[in-house]
Amino acid sequence: MSKTKKVDPAAAPWQGPWRKYDILKEGVIALIVVALLSVGLAGVFSSPDEKALTFQGWATSAPDNFFATTVGELAGTTESAGYGPPYNEGGDGVSVGPLNMQKLMGVRNPVNPADDFVITPLSSSQQSQETVDALKAWKDASADQQAAWATAFDDAVQATADEEGVLDLTKVEEGDYGPVPVLAKALTDMATSGAYDGVLLAQDPNGFYQMDHTKQILFMGDGSYLDDFGTVQNLQGNTWGMMNETGSYPGQAWLWLYSFWYQLPVFNAPDDADPASMTAQLSGSADALIFYIMGLLTILLVLLPFIPGVRSIPKWIPLHKLIWRDYYRSIRG
Amino acid sequence: MTAEVESHTVAPAPGDTWTGKLRDRVVRELPPDKLLPDRQPSYVGSWIYVFGVLTIAALLVVVATGVVLTLEGPEWYHISDVGHFFNSLHFWSVQLFFIFMVVHLWGKFWMAAWRGRRAMTWITGVVSFIVSLATAFTGYLMQTNADSQWITFEAKDGLNAVGIGAWFNVTSLGQTMLLHVCTLPLVVGLIVVLHVLLVRKRGVVPPIDAFKNEPAAASDTAEVAS
């Protein structure tokens, strides 16, 4: 009487013919080929290295934008000021339905744009008497008074923008802006001189050693300087920028699927879209939604051998007939 | 006294010690002819098989050039022609690594290479791909140039939106650098080693329909008489 047991035939030892193979030789040849290919590509094409942007560069090439961004930091109208966790409580962060992981994780890397980007750097270096007086006036004022000055001046500055958004600071209307114009001018001068780059860096709690550039990145991203760089280099997210590289070099092409979702209109609402519209809402949550979509797809890829239907695709679309054409020819013969 | 002497002169029975058990298991699971084969089933004869070893070769070049870059620090390549050349080697070997790896992955998909109790081989391969993505990503973050400024600024939003940014701060150069040169390469290396050992242990998957009653899934089995 024969007994039965569960056996997977594809796991059984191969009983057919064999061919000669040298794993060590194959590995050595592959290593030499790849090393030579790398040397050839590196020698012919080199690699990209666009010099890091600086606050001095920003304040020199676009002083009005730097000035206006500084005012925005004091008024709390910049992206950083309204970001929310993990930097501050200025916003709620991104929600997907009732789930708001951003808020749930809390403020882990505190950033107070007005203080960290403007007041503390100005206070930590030698300033003109006018700036010293302005700093004192700002610090002595109530939070409401600070907000009233900064918001009024921010509005006045933004009101000078032409149709293309270019500011003309000579057209700012007179008003009660307290010390805000002096502080913004002082920070712009400080950045133009190059002093601001170092002062902001030295704010690290550890003092001497600095390995965290959160404040620098956030402040620089609030203005147009970094954004213009991204546009010129074709790096914007809605133009497949996630997988692009500066210049004409190949970028992270392996992120094509992640980048793909950002191209869909449903995740790419125009700036003037109705905030209540579905597209605007989905676009507002795009960063989280796309991450979750990619996370789900990744799990499916990992578990693909166990997913009925998907695991059978290679049987239905017989590309394997090409890969093993010699084998299939031999068994037909 | 005699008993003591005897206890030191008599070899322990196989499997009596942790070391012996480990050695026995390694030899049983991966005998030398499986670990370092000099023959393969006759169906192993396509160019697609080359992309696995090419991926590992590219990984070795990536690691070697990366190690050279660590010798002089992350900003060396900005100011030195030699440093820039090694950065270029690192850059292009990473590009080759991903090209080879993706072709290898697609090849294994169309071969349904998870068949025959090879699901873990597939899983470790995919996981090594994912960890490699993270490793490359941290490399782009620590370029200390305008590109890394841009990528850092953009990437923070995606990670912050799902709460990861609170723990993995892409704007912290120190954190991204240590992850890139230490933790993540170590994880990639370990997973790749495990992946290769599984390939050697299970052997190369046979052609689809090479056996009657072959199941579609990695976990399915067929009833056969023995």
Side-chain angles (χ1 to χ4, degrees), chain A residues 14-21 323-328 330-331, chain B residues 39-46 49 204-207:
Chain A
W14 176 244
Q15 301 297 330
W18 296 79
R19 60 187 287 269
K20 188 179 168 187
Y21 172 67
I323 295 170
W324 288 307
R325 58 183 177 279
D326 292 342
Y327 168 79
Y328 291 117
S330 70
I331 58 171
Chain B
R39 66 173 192 169
Q40 286 286 10
S42 58
Y43 56 78
V44 182
S46 165
Y49 287 108
V204 180
V205 72

Side-chain angles (χ1 to χ4, degrees), chain A residues 259-270:
Chain A
S259 187
F260 161 78
W261 300 102
Y262 283 97
Q263 316 312 312
L264 298 179
V266 73
F267 290 131
N268 214 350

Side-chain angles (χ1 to χ4, degrees), chain A residues 2-14 16-23 26-27 30-31 33-35 37-39 41-43 45-54 79 83 85-87 94 100-102 105-106 108-109 211-214 217-218 220-222 226-227 229-231 235-237 241 244-246 249-255 258 262 287-288 291-292 298 301-306 310-315 317 319-328, chain B residues 35-46 48-50 53-54 56-58 60-61 77-78 84-85 87-89 91-96 98 100 102 105-107 109-112 114-119 122-123 126-127 129-130 133 136-137 140 143-154 156-167 169 171-175 200 202 205-226:
Chain A
S2 69
K3 60 180 181 181
T4 61
K5 70 172 183 180
K6 299 262 185 181
V7 173
D8 183 347
W14 176 244
W18 296 79
R19 60 187 287 269
K20 188 179 168 187
Y21 172 67
D22 190 337
I23 191 171
E26 182 187 68
L31 187 58
V33 167
V34 174
L37 262 177
S38 301
V39 169
L41 289 165
F45 297 111
S46 187
S47 57
D49 187 19
E50 293 287 332
K51 196 171 171 53
L53 307 179
T54 64
E79 184 181 334
Y83 198 93
Y87 307 125
V94 178
N100 188 327
M101 291 301 294
Q102 195 167 342
M105 291 298 169
R108 291 256 311 159
N109 307 308
M211 293 198 208
D212 187 344
H213 299 79
T214 306
I217 292 292
L218 290 186
M220 193 169 277
D222 283 337
L226 184 61
D227 194 61
F229 168 80
T231 302
L235 299 175
Q236 294 286 358
N244 289 346
E245 175 60 91
T246 53
Y249 289 93
Q252 299 184 77
W254 43 89
L255 295 181
Y258 209 118
Y262 283 97
D287 282 328
F291 191 97
Y292 293 139
T298 301
L301 183 65
V302 170
L303 299 177
L304 193 146
F306 306 103
V310 182
R311 69 188 179 196
S312 299
I313 290 174
K315 282 195 169 189
I317 304 175
L319 285 179
H320 61 272
K321 298 282 186 189
L322 277 176
I323 295 170
W324 288 307
R325 58 183 177 279
D326 292 342
Y327 168 79
Y328 291 117
Chain B
L35 191 61
L36 291 171
D38 54 7
R39 66 173 192 169
Q40 286 286 10
S42 58
Y43 56 78
V44 182
S46 165
I48 197 72
Y49 287 108
V50 173
V53 70
L54 283 175
I56 292 172
L60 292 175
V61 177
Y77 84 101
H78 298 312
H84 191 79
F85 180 68
N87 182 70
S88 303
L89 285 174
F91 174 85
W92 285 107
S93 55
V94 167
Q95 294 289 335
L96 292 172
F98 276 104
F100 296 149
V102 168
L105 183 65
W106 275 110
F109 172 76
W110 292 112
M111 295 155 94
W114 49 80
R115 291 170 296 123
R117 300 177 64 199
R118 293 176 178 85
W122 169 269
I123 290 171
V126 174
V127 171
F129 175 61
I130 295 161
L133 293 180
F137 172 61
Y140 277 85
Q143 293 177 92
T144 59
N145 61 12
D147 193 37
S148 60
Q149 286 175 311
W150 174 262
I151 295 172
T152 302
F153 179 72
E154 290 290 300
K156 76 181 191 315
D157 295 335
L159 293 169
N160 287 338
V162 293
I164 294 174
W167 307 94
N169 181 13
T171 57
S172 168
L173 180 63
Q175 191 179 13
R200 297 272 48 91
R202 299 288 181 205
V205 72
I208 292 175
D209 295 330
F211 303 94
K212 286 183 178 178
N213 304 320
E214 184 183 348
S219 56
D220 291 351
T221 54
E223 295 279 345
V224 294
S226 63

Side-chain angles (χ1 to χ4, degrees), chain A residues 19-283:
Chain A
R19 60 187 287 269
K20 188 179 168 187
Y21 172 67
D22 190 337
I23 191 171
L24 196 60
K25 187 176 175 184
E26 182 187 68
V28 170
I29 291 173
L31 187 58
I32 292 170
V33 167
V34 174
L36 289 176
L37 262 177
S38 301
V39 169
L41 289 165
V44 174
F45 297 111
S46 187
S47 57
D49 187 19
E50 293 287 332
K51 196 171 171 53
L53 307 179
T54 64
F55 289 101
Q56 185 179 26
W58 177 13
T60 304
S61 65
D64 288 358
N65 181 260
F66 186 93
F67 182 93
T69 306
T70 303
V71 175
E73 303 295 2
L74 291 172
T77 56
T78 60
E79 184 181 334
S80 297
Y83 198 93
Y87 307 125
N88 50 51
E89 302 285 0
D92 287 335
V94 178
S95 293
V96 176
L99 182 66
N100 188 327
M101 291 301 294
Q102 195 167 342
K103 204 170 184 179
L104 197 65
M105 291 298 169
V107 177
R108 291 256 311 159
N109 307 308
V111 176
N112 179 329
D115 281 346
D116 293 339
F117 301 165
V118 186
I119 302 302
T120 303
L122 284 174
S123 304
S124 62
S125 56
Q126 193 167 11
Q127 302 293 344
S128 68
Q129 190 56 49
E130 185 187 30
T131 305
V132 171
D133 292 343
L135 279 168
K136 185 171 187 314
W138 177 267
K139 290 173 183 173
D140 288 348
S142 67
D144 288 343
Q145 178 64 71
Q146 291 172 347
W149 283 331
T151 304
F153 191 53
D154 189 39
D155 289 345
V157 167
Q158 295 304 324
T160 68
D162 63 17
E163 288 179 354
E164 294 177 354
V166 178
L167 301 172
D168 183 352
L169 297 183
T170 62
K171 293 182 179 172
V172 176
E173 290 189 2
E174 295 289 321
D176 180 14
Y177 309 129
V180 176
V182 174
L183 295 174
K185 175 72 168 55
L187 200 79
T188 307
D189 291 344
M190 195 174 167
T192 306
S193 73
Y196 184 70
D197 287 277
V199 168
L200 193 57
L201 201 65
Q203 271 194 60
D204 185 80
N206 196 25
F208 189 83
Y209 292 102
Q210 162 62 286
M211 293 198 208
D212 187 344
H213 299 79
T214 306
K215 289 167 187 166
Q216 286 89 329
I217 292 292
L218 290 186
F219 186 26
M220 193 169 277
D222 283 337
S224 64
Y225 193 51
L226 184 61
D227 194 61
D228 289 346
F229 168 80
T231 302
V232 168
Q233 295 285 347
N234 202 23
L235 299 175
Q236 294 286 358
N238 56 3
T239 56
W240 297 90
M242 186 183 287
M243 51 182 282
N244 289 346
E245 175 60 91
T246 53
S248 302
Y249 289 93
Q252 299 184 77
W254 43 89
L255 295 181
W256 69 271
L257 187 56
Y258 209 118
S259 187
F260 161 78
W261 300 102
Y262 283 97
Q263 316 312 312
L264 298 179
V266 73
F267 290 131
N268 214 350
D271 292 338
D272 57 356
D274 177 6
S277 68
M278 177 69 84
T279 306
Q281 303 239 334
L282 287 173
S283 297

Side-chain angles (χ1 to χ4, degrees), chain B residues 4-72:
Chain B
E4 268 186 34
V5 172
E6 282 178 357
S7 72
H8 288 288
T9 54
V10 175
D16 267 6
T17 60
W18 288 8
T19 308
K21 284 177 183 171
L22 177 65
R23 184 188 60 227
D24 291 348
R25 177 158 187 194
V26 168
V27 171
R28 189 173 62 248
E29 300 278 343
L30 276 170
D33 61 333
K34 269 193 175 183
L35 191 61
L36 291 171
D38 54 7
R39 66 173 192 169
Q40 286 286 10
S42 58
Y43 56 78
V44 182
S46 165
W47 277 99
I48 197 72
Y49 287 108
V50 173
F51 285 91
V53 70
L54 283 175
T55 307
I56 292 172
L59 179 60
L60 292 175
V61 177
V62 169
V63 171
T65 53
V67 166
V68 173
L69 288 171
T70 66
L71 297 177
E72 294 281 349

